PDB file of all heavy atoms in Angstrom:
ATOM      1  N   ASN A   1     -65.287  -6.822 -18.960  1.00  0.00           N
ATOM      2  CA  ASN A   1     -66.010  -5.826 -18.118  1.00  0.00           C
ATOM      3  C   ASN A   1     -65.420  -5.854 -16.653  1.00  0.00           C
ATOM      4  O   ASN A   1     -65.274  -4.846 -16.014  1.00  0.00           O
ATOM      5  CB  ASN A   1     -67.472  -6.055 -18.070  1.00  0.00           C
ATOM      6  CG  ASN A   1     -68.206  -5.530 -19.233  1.00  0.00           C
ATOM      7  OD1 ASN A   1     -67.597  -5.049 -20.220  1.00  0.00           O
ATOM      8  ND2 ASN A   1     -69.475  -5.500 -19.194  1.00  0.00           N
ATOM      9  N   HIS A   2     -65.043  -7.020 -16.176  1.00  0.00           N
ATOM     10  CA  HIS A   2     -64.511  -7.213 -14.822  1.00  0.00           C
ATOM     11  C   HIS A   2     -63.213  -6.475 -14.745  1.00  0.00           C
ATOM     12  O   HIS A   2     -62.917  -5.807 -13.734  1.00  0.00           O
ATOM     13  CB  HIS A   2     -64.394  -8.651 -14.525  1.00  0.00           C
ATOM     14  CG  HIS A   2     -63.960  -8.994 -13.066  1.00  0.00           C
ATOM     15  ND1 HIS A   2     -64.937  -9.082 -12.051  1.00  0.00           N
ATOM     16  CD2 HIS A   2     -62.734  -9.063 -12.553  1.00  0.00           C
ATOM     17  CE1 HIS A   2     -64.258  -9.282 -10.907  1.00  0.00           C
ATOM     18  NE2 HIS A   2     -62.962  -9.276 -11.216  1.00  0.00           N
ATOM     19  N   LEU A   3     -62.385  -6.598 -15.765  1.00  0.00           N
ATOM     20  CA  LEU A   3     -61.083  -5.943 -15.739  1.00  0.00           C
ATOM     21  C   LEU A   3     -61.212  -4.470 -15.794  1.00  0.00           C
ATOM     22  O   LEU A   3     -60.632  -3.727 -14.984  1.00  0.00           O
ATOM     23  CB  LEU A   3     -60.281  -6.379 -16.943  1.00  0.00           C
ATOM     24  CG  LEU A   3     -58.886  -5.612 -17.260  1.00  0.00           C
ATOM     25  CD1 LEU A   3     -57.993  -5.828 -16.010  1.00  0.00           C
ATOM     26  CD2 LEU A   3     -58.274  -6.106 -18.509  1.00  0.00           C
ATOM     27  N   PHE A   4     -62.121  -3.896 -16.642  1.00  0.00           N
ATOM     28  CA  PHE A   4     -62.377  -2.465 -16.682  1.00  0.00           C
ATOM     29  C   PHE A   4     -62.864  -2.005 -15.250  1.00  0.00           C
ATOM     30  O   PHE A   4     -62.561  -0.920 -14.799  1.00  0.00           O
ATOM     31  CB  PHE A   4     -63.393  -2.166 -17.705  1.00  0.00           C
ATOM     32  CG  PHE A   4     -62.942  -2.413 -19.116  1.00  0.00           C
ATOM     33  CD1 PHE A   4     -63.842  -2.520 -20.147  1.00  0.00           C
ATOM     34  CD2 PHE A   4     -61.612  -2.632 -19.410  1.00  0.00           C
ATOM     35  CE1 PHE A   4     -63.399  -2.779 -21.508  1.00  0.00           C
ATOM     36  CE2 PHE A   4     -61.177  -2.877 -20.697  1.00  0.00           C
ATOM     37  CZ  PHE A   4     -62.077  -2.950 -21.759  1.00  0.00           C
ATOM     38  N   GLY A   5     -63.748  -2.799 -14.682  1.00  0.00           N
ATOM     39  CA  GLY A   5     -64.261  -2.453 -13.320  1.00  0.00           C
ATOM     40  C   GLY A   5     -63.202  -2.399 -12.318  1.00  0.00           C
ATOM     41  O   GLY A   5     -63.166  -1.475 -11.484  1.00  0.00           O
ATOM     42  N   ARG A   6     -62.296  -3.355 -12.305  1.00  0.00           N
ATOM     43  CA  ARG A   6     -61.165  -3.354 -11.387  1.00  0.00           C
ATOM     44  C   ARG A   6     -60.307  -2.157 -11.561  1.00  0.00           C
ATOM     45  O   ARG A   6     -59.859  -1.495 -10.570  1.00  0.00           O
ATOM     46  CB  ARG A   6     -60.290  -4.582 -11.551  1.00  0.00           C
ATOM     47  CG  ARG A   6     -60.966  -5.937 -11.060  1.00  0.00           C
ATOM     48  CD  ARG A   6     -60.889  -5.952  -9.576  1.00  0.00           C
ATOM     49  NE  ARG A   6     -61.394  -7.195  -9.046  1.00  0.00           N
ATOM     50  CZ  ARG A   6     -61.642  -7.437  -7.803  1.00  0.00           C
ATOM     51  NH1 ARG A   6     -61.426  -6.466  -6.860  1.00  0.00           N
ATOM     52  NH2 ARG A   6     -62.095  -8.585  -7.334  1.00  0.00           N
ATOM     53  N   LEU A   7     -60.097  -1.726 -12.796  1.00  0.00           N
ATOM     54  CA  LEU A   7     -59.306  -0.531 -13.013  1.00  0.00           C
ATOM     55  C   LEU A   7     -60.061   0.777 -12.506  1.00  0.00           C
ATOM     56  O   LEU A   7     -59.401   1.651 -11.975  1.00  0.00           O
ATOM     57  CB  LEU A   7     -59.013  -0.382 -14.525  1.00  0.00           C
ATOM     58  CG  LEU A   7     -58.144  -1.497 -15.048  1.00  0.00           C
ATOM     59  CD1 LEU A   7     -57.986  -1.267 -16.580  1.00  0.00           C
ATOM     60  CD2 LEU A   7     -56.713  -1.369 -14.432  1.00  0.00           C
ATOM     61  N   THR A   8     -61.311   0.774 -12.690  1.00  0.00           N
ATOM     62  CA  THR A   8     -62.164   1.899 -12.208  1.00  0.00           C
ATOM     63  C   THR A   8     -62.101   1.959 -10.661  1.00  0.00           C
ATOM     64  O   THR A   8     -61.872   3.088 -10.132  1.00  0.00           O
ATOM     65  CB  THR A   8     -63.616   1.741 -12.682  1.00  0.00           C
ATOM     66  OG1 THR A   8     -63.680   1.729 -14.031  1.00  0.00           O
ATOM     67  CG2 THR A   8     -64.493   2.839 -12.082  1.00  0.00           C
ATOM     68  N   ILE A   9     -62.176   0.863 -10.011  1.00  0.00           N
ATOM     69  CA  ILE A   9     -62.044   0.817  -8.506  1.00  0.00           C
ATOM     70  C   ILE A   9     -60.712   1.299  -8.016  1.00  0.00           C
ATOM     71  O   ILE A   9     -60.644   2.125  -7.108  1.00  0.00           O
ATOM     72  CB  ILE A   9     -62.421  -0.558  -7.983  1.00  0.00           C
ATOM     73  CG1 ILE A   9     -63.893  -0.886  -8.269  1.00  0.00           C
ATOM     74  CG2 ILE A   9     -62.018  -0.743  -6.466  1.00  0.00           C
ATOM     75  CD1 ILE A   9     -64.228  -2.376  -7.897  1.00  0.00           C
ATOM     76  N   LYS A  10     -59.676   0.853  -8.664  1.00  0.00           N
ATOM     77  CA  LYS A  10     -58.332   1.284  -8.332  1.00  0.00           C
ATOM     78  C   LYS A  10     -58.179   2.783  -8.493  1.00  0.00           C
ATOM     79  O   LYS A  10     -57.588   3.492  -7.632  1.00  0.00           O
ATOM     80  CB  LYS A  10     -57.275   0.453  -9.164  1.00  0.00           C
ATOM     81  CG  LYS A  10     -55.876   0.907  -8.779  1.00  0.00           C
ATOM     82  CD  LYS A  10     -54.889   0.088  -9.779  1.00  0.00           C
ATOM     83  CE  LYS A  10     -53.441   0.459  -9.441  1.00  0.00           C
ATOM     84  NZ  LYS A  10     -52.539  -0.268 -10.281  1.00  0.00           N
ATOM     85  N   SER A  11     -58.666   3.273  -9.585  1.00  0.00           N
ATOM     86  CA  SER A  11     -58.537   4.707  -9.895  1.00  0.00           C
ATOM     87  C   SER A  11     -59.378   5.531  -8.818  1.00  0.00           C
ATOM     88  O   SER A  11     -58.859   6.572  -8.340  1.00  0.00           O
ATOM     89  CB  SER A  11     -59.049   5.068 -11.314  1.00  0.00           C
ATOM     90  OG  SER A  11     -59.112   6.451 -11.536  1.00  0.00           O
ATOM     91  N   ALA A  12     -60.552   4.998  -8.510  1.00  0.00           N
ATOM     92  CA  ALA A  12     -61.352   5.733  -7.527  1.00  0.00           C
ATOM     93  C   ALA A  12     -60.680   5.838  -6.170  1.00  0.00           C
ATOM     94  O   ALA A  12     -60.800   6.810  -5.479  1.00  0.00           O
ATOM     95  CB  ALA A  12     -62.709   4.970  -7.363  1.00  0.00           C
ATOM     96  N   ARG A  13     -59.952   4.744  -5.797  1.00  0.00           N
ATOM     97  CA  ARG A  13     -59.223   4.842  -4.558  1.00  0.00           C
ATOM     98  C   ARG A  13     -58.186   5.954  -4.577  1.00  0.00           C
ATOM     99  O   ARG A  13     -58.026   6.695  -3.576  1.00  0.00           O
ATOM    100  CB  ARG A  13     -58.446   3.468  -4.299  1.00  0.00           C
ATOM    101  CG  ARG A  13     -59.379   2.323  -4.111  1.00  0.00           C
ATOM    102  CD  ARG A  13     -60.050   2.273  -2.722  1.00  0.00           C
ATOM    103  NE  ARG A  13     -60.705   1.057  -2.505  1.00  0.00           N
ATOM    104  CZ  ARG A  13     -62.003   0.756  -2.866  1.00  0.00           C
ATOM    105  NH1 ARG A  13     -62.649   1.801  -3.539  1.00  0.00           N
ATOM    106  NH2 ARG A  13     -62.478  -0.380  -2.594  1.00  0.00           N
ATOM    107  N   ALA A  14     -57.488   6.123  -5.647  1.00  0.00           N
ATOM    108  CA  ALA A  14     -56.496   7.166  -5.776  1.00  0.00           C
ATOM    109  C   ALA A  14     -57.176   8.574  -5.798  1.00  0.00           C
ATOM    110  O   ALA A  14     -56.525   9.544  -5.262  1.00  0.00           O
ATOM    111  CB  ALA A  14     -55.726   6.929  -7.092  1.00  0.00           C
ATOM    112  N   ILE A  15     -58.336   8.660  -6.401  1.00  0.00           N
ATOM    113  CA  ILE A  15     -59.028  10.015  -6.546  1.00  0.00           C
ATOM    114  C   ILE A  15     -59.641  10.449  -5.265  1.00  0.00           C
ATOM    115  O   ILE A  15     -59.568  11.613  -4.870  1.00  0.00           O
ATOM    116  CB  ILE A  15     -59.953   9.991  -7.735  1.00  0.00           C
ATOM    117  CG1 ILE A  15     -59.246   9.667  -9.037  1.00  0.00           C
ATOM    118  CG2 ILE A  15     -60.662  11.364  -7.832  1.00  0.00           C
ATOM    119  CD1 ILE A  15     -58.094  10.574  -9.367  1.00  0.00           C
ATOM    120  N   PHE A  16     -60.371   9.541  -4.575  1.00  0.00           N
ATOM    121  CA  PHE A  16     -61.069   9.798  -3.411  1.00  0.00           C
ATOM    122  C   PHE A  16     -60.180   9.762  -2.181  1.00  0.00           C
ATOM    123  O   PHE A  16     -60.453  10.516  -1.166  1.00  0.00           O
ATOM    124  CB  PHE A  16     -62.302   8.885  -3.208  1.00  0.00           C
ATOM    125  CG  PHE A  16     -63.453   9.237  -4.124  1.00  0.00           C
ATOM    126  CD1 PHE A  16     -63.626   8.545  -5.374  1.00  0.00           C
ATOM    127  CD2 PHE A  16     -64.325  10.263  -3.723  1.00  0.00           C
ATOM    128  CE1 PHE A  16     -64.676   8.957  -6.154  1.00  0.00           C
ATOM    129  CE2 PHE A  16     -65.363  10.514  -4.563  1.00  0.00           C
ATOM    130  CZ  PHE A  16     -65.576   9.929  -5.768  1.00  0.00           C
ATOM    131  N   GLY A  17     -59.265   8.885  -2.107  1.00  0.00           N
ATOM    132  CA  GLY A  17     -58.432   8.736  -0.867  1.00  0.00           C
ATOM    133  C   GLY A  17     -59.091   7.866   0.214  1.00  0.00           C
ATOM    134  O   GLY A  17     -60.225   7.229  -0.116  1.00  0.00           O
ATOM    135  N   GLN A  18     -58.736   8.010   1.408  1.00  0.00           N
ATOM    136  CA  GLN A  18     -59.314   7.187   2.508  1.00  0.00           C
ATOM    137  C   GLN A  18     -60.719   7.691   2.834  1.00  0.00           C
ATOM    138  O   GLN A  18     -60.955   8.972   2.918  1.00  0.00           O
ATOM    139  CB  GLN A  18     -58.480   7.281   3.742  1.00  0.00           C
ATOM    140  CG  GLN A  18     -57.146   6.447   3.618  1.00  0.00           C
ATOM    141  CD  GLN A  18     -57.352   4.996   3.467  1.00  0.00           C
ATOM    142  OE1 GLN A  18     -58.262   4.432   4.112  1.00  0.00           O
ATOM    143  NE2 GLN A  18     -56.650   4.307   2.602  1.00  0.00           N
ATOM    144  N   PRO A  19     -61.694   6.865   3.068  1.00  0.00           N
ATOM    145  CA  PRO A  19     -63.028   7.267   3.412  1.00  0.00           C
ATOM    146  C   PRO A  19     -63.045   7.753   4.892  1.00  0.00           C
ATOM    147  O   PRO A  19     -62.073   7.504   5.610  1.00  0.00           O
ATOM    148  CB  PRO A  19     -63.890   6.060   3.320  1.00  0.00           C
ATOM    149  CG  PRO A  19     -62.907   4.875   3.552  1.00  0.00           C
ATOM    150  CD  PRO A  19     -61.608   5.372   2.914  1.00  0.00           C
ATOM    151  N   PRO A  20     -64.000   8.500   5.332  1.00  0.00           N
ATOM    152  CA  PRO A  20     -64.132   8.881   6.695  1.00  0.00           C
ATOM    153  C   PRO A  20     -64.130   7.642   7.594  1.00  0.00           C
ATOM    154  O   PRO A  20     -64.594   6.646   7.266  1.00  0.00           O
ATOM    155  CB  PRO A  20     -65.321   9.694   6.759  1.00  0.00           C
ATOM    156  CG  PRO A  20     -66.234   9.353   5.565  1.00  0.00           C
ATOM    157  CD  PRO A  20     -65.209   8.962   4.527  1.00  0.00           C
ATOM    158  N   SER A  21     -63.666   7.812   8.871  1.00  0.00           N
ATOM    159  CA  SER A  21     -63.608   6.675   9.806  1.00  0.00           C
ATOM    160  C   SER A  21     -64.996   6.349  10.308  1.00  0.00           C
ATOM    161  O   SER A  21     -65.211   5.236  10.770  1.00  0.00           O
ATOM    162  CB  SER A  21     -62.629   6.978  10.887  1.00  0.00           C
ATOM    163  OG  SER A  21     -63.034   8.095  11.608  1.00  0.00           O
ATOM    164  N   SER A  22     -65.907   7.317  10.329  1.00  0.00           N
ATOM    165  CA  SER A  22     -67.311   7.114  10.809  1.00  0.00           C
ATOM    166  C   SER A  22     -68.187   8.085  10.036  1.00  0.00           C
ATOM    167  O   SER A  22     -67.738   8.967   9.339  1.00  0.00           O
ATOM    168  CB  SER A  22     -67.303   7.443  12.330  1.00  0.00           C
ATOM    169  OG  SER A  22     -67.004   8.775  12.561  1.00  0.00           O
ATOM    170  N   TRP A  23     -69.504   7.797  10.169  1.00  0.00           N
ATOM    171  CA  TRP A  23     -70.475   8.560   9.501  1.00  0.00           C
ATOM    172  C   TRP A  23     -70.699   9.935  10.225  1.00  0.00           C
ATOM    173  O   TRP A  23     -70.585  10.068  11.372  1.00  0.00           O
ATOM    174  CB  TRP A  23     -71.818   7.884   9.470  1.00  0.00           C
ATOM    175  CG  TRP A  23     -71.776   6.549   8.697  1.00  0.00           C
ATOM    176  CD1 TRP A  23     -71.793   5.236   9.248  1.00  0.00           C
ATOM    177  CD2 TRP A  23     -71.704   6.434   7.289  1.00  0.00           C
ATOM    178  NE1 TRP A  23     -71.715   4.353   8.214  1.00  0.00           N
ATOM    179  CE2 TRP A  23     -71.669   5.014   7.042  1.00  0.00           C
ATOM    180  CE3 TRP A  23     -71.604   7.263   6.199  1.00  0.00           C
ATOM    181  CZ2 TRP A  23     -71.546   4.464   5.723  1.00  0.00           C
ATOM    182  CZ3 TRP A  23     -71.504   6.765   4.897  1.00  0.00           C
ATOM    183  CH2 TRP A  23     -71.469   5.395   4.730  1.00  0.00           C
ATOM    184  N   ALA A  24     -70.902  10.979   9.354  1.00  0.00           N
ATOM    185  CA  ALA A  24     -71.030  12.268   9.879  1.00  0.00           C
ATOM    186  C   ALA A  24     -72.435  12.517  10.561  1.00  0.00           C
ATOM    187  O   ALA A  24     -72.658  13.394  11.205  1.00  0.00           O
ATOM    188  CB  ALA A  24     -70.823  13.312   8.866  1.00  0.00           C
ATOM    189  N   ASP A  25     -73.333  11.604  10.350  1.00  0.00           N
ATOM    190  CA  ASP A  25     -74.713  11.648  10.907  1.00  0.00           C
ATOM    191  C   ASP A  25     -75.151  10.287  11.397  1.00  0.00           C
ATOM    192  O   ASP A  25     -74.522   9.233  11.044  1.00  0.00           O
ATOM    193  CB  ASP A  25     -75.714  12.206   9.856  1.00  0.00           C
ATOM    194  CG  ASP A  25     -75.910  11.205   8.691  1.00  0.00           C
ATOM    195  OD1 ASP A  25     -75.130  11.282   7.809  1.00  0.00           O
ATOM    196  OD2 ASP A  25     -76.780  10.393   8.910  1.00  0.00           O
ATOM    197  N   ASP A  26     -76.119  10.230  12.208  1.00  0.00           N
ATOM    198  CA  ASP A  26     -76.617   8.997  12.761  1.00  0.00           C
ATOM    199  C   ASP A  26     -77.962   8.609  12.259  1.00  0.00           C
ATOM    200  O   ASP A  26     -78.524   7.564  12.549  1.00  0.00           O
ATOM    201  CB  ASP A  26     -76.675   9.040  14.329  1.00  0.00           C
ATOM    202  CG  ASP A  26     -75.325   9.207  14.919  1.00  0.00           C
ATOM    203  OD1 ASP A  26     -74.384   8.584  14.330  1.00  0.00           O
ATOM    204  OD2 ASP A  26     -75.225   9.913  15.918  1.00  0.00           O
ATOM    205  N   ASP A  27     -78.544   9.456  11.415  1.00  0.00           N
ATOM    206  CA  ASP A  27     -79.967   9.348  11.066  1.00  0.00           C
ATOM    207  C   ASP A  27     -80.280   9.240   9.569  1.00  0.00           C
ATOM    208  O   ASP A  27     -81.399   9.419   9.123  1.00  0.00           O
ATOM    209  CB  ASP A  27     -80.863  10.380  11.608  1.00  0.00           C
ATOM    210  CG  ASP A  27     -80.716  10.481  13.172  1.00  0.00           C
ATOM    211  OD1 ASP A  27     -80.785   9.431  13.805  1.00  0.00           O
ATOM    212  OD2 ASP A  27     -80.479  11.634  13.666  1.00  0.00           O
ATOM    213  N   ARG A  28     -79.153   9.040   8.806  1.00  0.00           N
ATOM    214  CA  ARG A  28     -79.350   9.084   7.388  1.00  0.00           C
ATOM    215  C   ARG A  28     -80.429   8.054   6.873  1.00  0.00           C
ATOM    216  O   ARG A  28     -81.113   8.255   5.963  1.00  0.00           O
ATOM    217  CB  ARG A  28     -78.098   8.916   6.589  1.00  0.00           C
ATOM    218  CG  ARG A  28     -78.225   8.829   5.073  1.00  0.00           C
ATOM    219  CD  ARG A  28     -76.995   9.064   4.290  1.00  0.00           C
ATOM    220  NE  ARG A  28     -76.379  10.347   4.583  1.00  0.00           N
ATOM    221  CZ  ARG A  28     -75.461  10.873   3.729  1.00  0.00           C
ATOM    222  NH1 ARG A  28     -75.030  10.203   2.717  1.00  0.00           N
ATOM    223  NH2 ARG A  28     -74.948  12.007   4.073  1.00  0.00           N
ATOM    224  N   GLY A  29     -80.365   6.837   7.569  1.00  0.00           N
ATOM    225  CA  GLY A  29     -81.344   5.842   7.108  1.00  0.00           C
ATOM    226  C   GLY A  29     -82.749   6.254   7.228  1.00  0.00           C
ATOM    227  O   GLY A  29     -83.651   5.762   6.524  1.00  0.00           O
ATOM    228  N   ASP A  30     -83.059   7.268   8.059  1.00  0.00           N
ATOM    229  CA  ASP A  30     -84.405   7.715   8.199  1.00  0.00           C
ATOM    230  C   ASP A  30     -84.837   8.797   7.147  1.00  0.00           C
ATOM    231  O   ASP A  30     -85.934   9.197   7.069  1.00  0.00           O
ATOM    232  CB  ASP A  30     -84.652   8.297   9.584  1.00  0.00           C
ATOM    233  CG  ASP A  30     -84.463   7.265  10.715  1.00  0.00           C
ATOM    234  OD1 ASP A  30     -84.750   6.098  10.365  1.00  0.00           O
ATOM    235  OD2 ASP A  30     -84.069   7.662  11.718  1.00  0.00           O
ATOM    236  N   GLU A  31     -83.814   9.202   6.307  1.00  0.00           N
ATOM    237  CA  GLU A  31     -84.102  10.208   5.403  1.00  0.00           C
ATOM    238  C   GLU A  31     -84.826   9.738   4.124  1.00  0.00           C
ATOM    239  O   GLU A  31     -85.405  10.491   3.355  1.00  0.00           O
ATOM    240  CB  GLU A  31     -82.773  10.854   4.873  1.00  0.00           C
ATOM    241  CG  GLU A  31     -82.049  11.597   6.054  1.00  0.00           C
ATOM    242  CD  GLU A  31     -80.691  12.056   5.551  1.00  0.00           C
ATOM    243  OE1 GLU A  31     -80.415  11.959   4.306  1.00  0.00           O
ATOM    244  OE2 GLU A  31     -79.949  12.535   6.343  1.00  0.00           O
ATOM    245  N   VAL A  32     -84.872   8.382   3.969  1.00  0.00           N
ATOM    246  CA  VAL A  32     -85.479   7.823   2.773  1.00  0.00           C
ATOM    247  C   VAL A  32     -86.669   6.989   3.222  1.00  0.00           C
ATOM    248  O   VAL A  32     -86.558   6.195   4.086  1.00  0.00           O
ATOM    249  CB  VAL A  32     -84.480   6.981   1.943  1.00  0.00           C
ATOM    250  CG1 VAL A  32     -85.098   6.360   0.759  1.00  0.00           C
ATOM    251  CG2 VAL A  32     -83.236   7.773   1.682  1.00  0.00           C
ATOM    252  N   SER A  33     -87.755   7.173   2.534  1.00  0.00           N
ATOM    253  CA  SER A  33     -88.873   6.243   2.753  1.00  0.00           C
ATOM    254  C   SER A  33     -89.009   5.332   1.530  1.00  0.00           C
ATOM    255  O   SER A  33     -88.663   5.768   0.375  1.00  0.00           O
ATOM    256  CB  SER A  33     -90.156   7.142   2.912  1.00  0.00           C
ATOM    257  OG  SER A  33     -90.463   7.860   1.679  1.00  0.00           O
ATOM    258  N   PHE A  34     -89.510   4.183   1.735  1.00  0.00           N
ATOM    259  CA  PHE A  34     -89.665   3.209   0.738  1.00  0.00           C
ATOM    260  C   PHE A  34     -91.164   2.795   0.584  1.00  0.00           C
ATOM    261  O   PHE A  34     -91.778   2.366   1.622  1.00  0.00           O
ATOM    262  CB  PHE A  34     -88.764   1.964   1.103  1.00  0.00           C
ATOM    263  CG  PHE A  34     -87.353   2.258   1.210  1.00  0.00           C
ATOM    264  CD1 PHE A  34     -86.739   2.467   2.442  1.00  0.00           C
ATOM    265  CD2 PHE A  34     -86.593   2.368   0.007  1.00  0.00           C
ATOM    266  CE1 PHE A  34     -85.471   2.792   2.547  1.00  0.00           C
ATOM    267  CE2 PHE A  34     -85.238   2.647   0.171  1.00  0.00           C
ATOM    268  CZ  PHE A  34     -84.628   2.933   1.475  1.00  0.00           C
ATOM    269  N   GLY A  35     -91.590   2.854  -0.536  1.00  0.00           N
ATOM    270  CA  GLY A  35     -93.014   2.454  -0.889  1.00  0.00           C
ATOM    271  C   GLY A  35     -93.153   0.925  -1.005  1.00  0.00           C
ATOM    272  O   GLY A  35     -92.186   0.225  -0.962  1.00  0.00           O
ATOM    273  N   PRO A  36     -94.365   0.459  -1.134  1.00  0.00           N
ATOM    274  CA  PRO A  36     -94.620  -0.919  -1.252  1.00  0.00           C
ATOM    275  C   PRO A  36     -93.820  -1.559  -2.443  1.00  0.00           C
ATOM    276  O   PRO A  36     -93.757  -0.935  -3.520  1.00  0.00           O
ATOM    277  CB  PRO A  36     -96.148  -1.059  -1.584  1.00  0.00           C
ATOM    278  CG  PRO A  36     -96.638   0.214  -0.979  1.00  0.00           C
ATOM    279  CD  PRO A  36     -95.607   1.299  -1.211  1.00  0.00           C
ATOM    280  N   GLY A  37     -93.169  -2.647  -2.151  1.00  0.00           N
ATOM    281  CA  GLY A  37     -92.426  -3.376  -3.247  1.00  0.00           C
ATOM    282  C   GLY A  37     -90.957  -2.942  -3.327  1.00  0.00           C
ATOM    283  O   GLY A  37     -90.215  -3.509  -4.052  1.00  0.00           O
ATOM    284  N   SER A  38     -90.560  -1.811  -2.670  1.00  0.00           N
ATOM    285  CA  SER A  38     -89.179  -1.361  -2.814  1.00  0.00           C
ATOM    286  C   SER A  38     -88.293  -2.314  -2.035  1.00  0.00           C
ATOM    287  O   SER A  38     -87.230  -2.562  -2.492  1.00  0.00           O
ATOM    288  CB  SER A  38     -89.096   0.081  -2.261  1.00  0.00           C
ATOM    289  OG  SER A  38     -89.378   0.129  -0.864  1.00  0.00           O
ATOM    290  N   GLY A  39     -88.743  -2.784  -0.833  1.00  0.00           N
ATOM    291  CA  GLY A  39     -88.028  -3.811  -0.097  1.00  0.00           C
ATOM    292  C   GLY A  39     -86.702  -3.349   0.498  1.00  0.00           C
ATOM    293  O   GLY A  39     -86.148  -2.321   0.160  1.00  0.00           O
ATOM    294  N   ASP A  40     -86.213  -4.078   1.450  1.00  0.00           N
ATOM    295  CA  ASP A  40     -84.950  -3.930   2.068  1.00  0.00           C
ATOM    296  C   ASP A  40     -84.077  -5.133   1.909  1.00  0.00           C
ATOM    297  O   ASP A  40     -83.367  -5.523   2.823  1.00  0.00           O
ATOM    298  CB  ASP A  40     -85.163  -3.504   3.528  1.00  0.00           C
ATOM    299  CG  ASP A  40     -85.715  -2.102   3.708  1.00  0.00           C
ATOM    300  OD1 ASP A  40     -85.630  -1.411   2.724  1.00  0.00           O
ATOM    301  OD2 ASP A  40     -86.153  -1.836   4.799  1.00  0.00           O
ATOM    302  N   SER A  41     -84.183  -5.783   0.759  1.00  0.00           N
ATOM    303  CA  SER A  41     -83.476  -7.073   0.631  1.00  0.00           C
ATOM    304  C   SER A  41     -82.241  -7.011  -0.237  1.00  0.00           C
ATOM    305  O   SER A  41     -81.873  -7.884  -0.883  1.00  0.00           O
ATOM    306  CB  SER A  41     -84.477  -8.024  -0.056  1.00  0.00           C
ATOM    307  OG  SER A  41     -84.879  -7.569  -1.371  1.00  0.00           O
ATOM    308  N   THR A  42     -81.513  -5.799  -0.172  1.00  0.00           N
ATOM    309  CA  THR A  42     -80.307  -5.768  -0.923  1.00  0.00           C
ATOM    310  C   THR A  42     -79.358  -6.812  -0.395  1.00  0.00           C
ATOM    311  O   THR A  42     -79.173  -6.948   0.817  1.00  0.00           O
ATOM    312  CB  THR A  42     -79.637  -4.319  -0.548  1.00  0.00           C
ATOM    313  OG1 THR A  42     -80.529  -3.309  -0.996  1.00  0.00           O
ATOM    314  CG2 THR A  42     -78.348  -4.212  -1.392  1.00  0.00           C
TER     315      THR A  42
END
């Protein structure tokens, strides 16, 4: 599974290219509300 995942990541880089240098917005974090138990402990 790790090998397949590595191949997927490599392919994604080629398909998507370089990510944007900065976020297009400053308030996306406020777009989502979290109910009890959802937590922010990622």
Side-chain angles (χ1 to χ4, degrees):
N1 277 13
H2 187 85
L3 174 60
F4 295 161
R6 286 285 183 190
L7 293 174
T8 299
I9 289 172
K10 180 179 179 181
S11 175
R13 294 287 187 275
I15 300 304
F16 282 98
Q18 289 295 319
S21 58
S22 61
W23 298 107
D25 65 275
D26 294 323
D27 301 312
R28 177 166 296 197
D30 295 329
E31 295 174 7
V32 181
S33 61
F34 300 97
S38 62
D40 287 343
S41 58
T42 304

